[in-house]
């Protein structure tokens, strides 16, 4: 956990309040750069589809905080350990996480999930997720400790495709798909569009796979350790404008 401790010392920005009071920042707000959701600026601030509304909620509520760039697994571990007032931006809410964390109101809702597939793996566009996961020999790349929402999570458990887990971020996961280490990976359409737009000449190695039965995208939340007082969660909820 040294990376978190270093981030707390070195990467803090009291965006919630201005002036000398910013030095009293006491909530660590974890992020892991993940365009278009979370985009770090040179001044230490964070923007993006979830970064902007999260920072705005703390600022509107007048709650001091510091941004800390932290890998996803370390974020989860810190919140589970419940040793400090830690929060993380843009996580899905599920029953397992609700046992050790608390969540604000939603700050964003994804478009329906899609898959980025290797061009050598061909199935019918707009087929059902069930039929795609039932494809003989299919290999699915998943991020370790991530939830892809109940529909995808439950479908994977039901059809048991061959799974490869990784702690890598999506850009490196895309490279794994390109090299044929797996056939496809799941993500929100917003993120898939961003990755394909920035893939350059290599974008031709992939295609976007949509599913006819995919429900609306999952909501994303600010997830906090139980050390964070309930009144702070309530203040954030009043400041969050997403409906």
């Amino acid at each position: 956990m040294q990376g978190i401790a270093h981030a707390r010392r070195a990467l803090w920005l009291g965006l919630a309040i201005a002036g000398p009071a910013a030095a009293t920042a006491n909530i660590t707000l974890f992020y892991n750069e993940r365009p278009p959701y979370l985009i770090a600026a040179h001044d230490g601030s964070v923007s993006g589809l979830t970064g902007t509304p999260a920072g705005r909620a703390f600022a509107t509520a007048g709650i001091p905080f510091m941004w800390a760039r932290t890998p996803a697994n370390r974020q989860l571990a810190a919140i589970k350990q419940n040793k400090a007032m830690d929060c993380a931006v843009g996580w899905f809410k599920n029953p397992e996480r609700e046992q050790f964390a608390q969540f604000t109101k939603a700050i964003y809702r994804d478009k329906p999930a899609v898959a980025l597939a290797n061009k050598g793996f061909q199935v019918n566009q707009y087929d059902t997720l069930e039929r795609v996961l039932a494809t003989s020999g299919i290999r699915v790349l998943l991020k370790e400790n991530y939830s892809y929402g109940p529909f995808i999570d439950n479908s994977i458990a039901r059809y048991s495709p061959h799974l490869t887990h990784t702690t890598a971020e999506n850009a490196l996961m895309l490279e794994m798909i390109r090299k044929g280490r797996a056939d496809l990976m799941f993500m929100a359409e917003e993120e898939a569009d961003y990755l394909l737009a920035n893939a350059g000449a290599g974008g031709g190695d992939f295609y976007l796979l949509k599913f006819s039965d995919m429900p609306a995208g999952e909501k994303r939340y600010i997830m906090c350790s139980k050390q964070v007082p309930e009144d702070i969660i309530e203040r954030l909820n009043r400041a969050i404008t997403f409906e």
Side-chain angles (χ1 to χ4, degrees):
M1 304 297 286
Q2 285 185 327
I4 292 175
H6 177 75
R8 284 177 178 151
R9 290 192 300 268
L11 289 176
W12 70 273
L13 182 65
L15 296 178
I17 53 179
T24 65
N26 56 5
I27 289 192
T28 302
L29 188 56
F30 296 135
Y31 77 97
N32 191 24
E33 190 153 17
R34 185 183 173 189
Y37 294 105
L38 294 155
I39 304 165
H42 292 301
D43 65 359
S45 63
V46 178
S47 61
L49 297 176
T50 57
T52 296
R56 185 185 299 125
F58 276 86
T60 301
I63 299 168
F65 72 101
M66 56 184 178
W67 286 109
R69 185 170 181 170
T70 308
N73 280 343
R74 291 185 187 175
Q75 296 181 30
L76 198 62
I79 289 174
K80 278 184 176 180
Q81 288 175 2
N82 195 34
K83 292 182 178 179
M85 291 196 294
D86 296 324
C87 293
V89 177
W91 287 72
F92 291 162
K93 179 168 63 174
N94 61 31
E96 178 186 356
R97 291 173 184 167
E98 287 183 289
Q99 292 180 17
F100 60 82
Q102 51 187 332
F103 292 81
T104 64
K105 289 167 53 180
I107 58 173
Y108 184 76
R109 186 167 195 166
D110 289 347
K111 294 179 181 178
V114 298
L116 277 179
N118 183 290
K119 66 180 181 181
F121 176 76
Q122 291 295 323
V123 293
N124 292 330
Q125 179 67 284
Y126 297 107
D127 206 341
T128 65
L129 179 62
E130 174 182 339
R131 284 197 288 266
V132 171
L133 289 178
T135 301
S136 177
I138 185 175
R139 299 166 302 156
V140 178
L141 181 62
L142 300 178
K143 184 171 288 190
E144 192 173 278
N145 291 325
Y146 259 52
S147 168
Y148 292 86
F151 184 74
I152 293 177
D153 291 349
N154 293 339
S155 296
I156 289 172
R158 185 179 306 119
Y159 294 101
S160 300
H162 177 77
L163 301 178
T164 297
H165 291 88
T166 180
T167 59
E169 298 305 326
N170 279 343
L172 291 178
M173 291 175 70
L174 195 64
E175 183 67 9
M176 293 170 70
I177 297 291
R178 189 185 69 80
K179 290 181 177 179
R181 293 177 60 184
D183 298 311
L184 60 82
M185 57 188 283
F186 295 106
M187 64 184 64
E189 187 173 348
E190 299 94 323
E191 194 163 24
D193 288 342
Y194 179 90
L195 287 173
L196 287 177
N198 289 275
D205 294 332
F206 315 96
Y207 70 100
L208 192 65
L209 179 58
K210 298 184 179 182
F211 305 94
S212 61
D213 56 344
M214 187 64 65
E218 292 296 310
K219 293 180 178 178
R220 294 183 179 273
Y221 302 80
I222 300 171
M223 177 175 68
C224 298
S225 72
K226 295 192 174 181
Q227 288 281 344
V228 176
E230 289 184 11
D231 72 291
I232 287 182
I233 300 296
E234 292 171 1
R235 288 165 61 189
L236 288 171
N237 284 340
R238 290 194 295 270
I240 290 170
T241 58
F242 179 79
E243 296 295 338

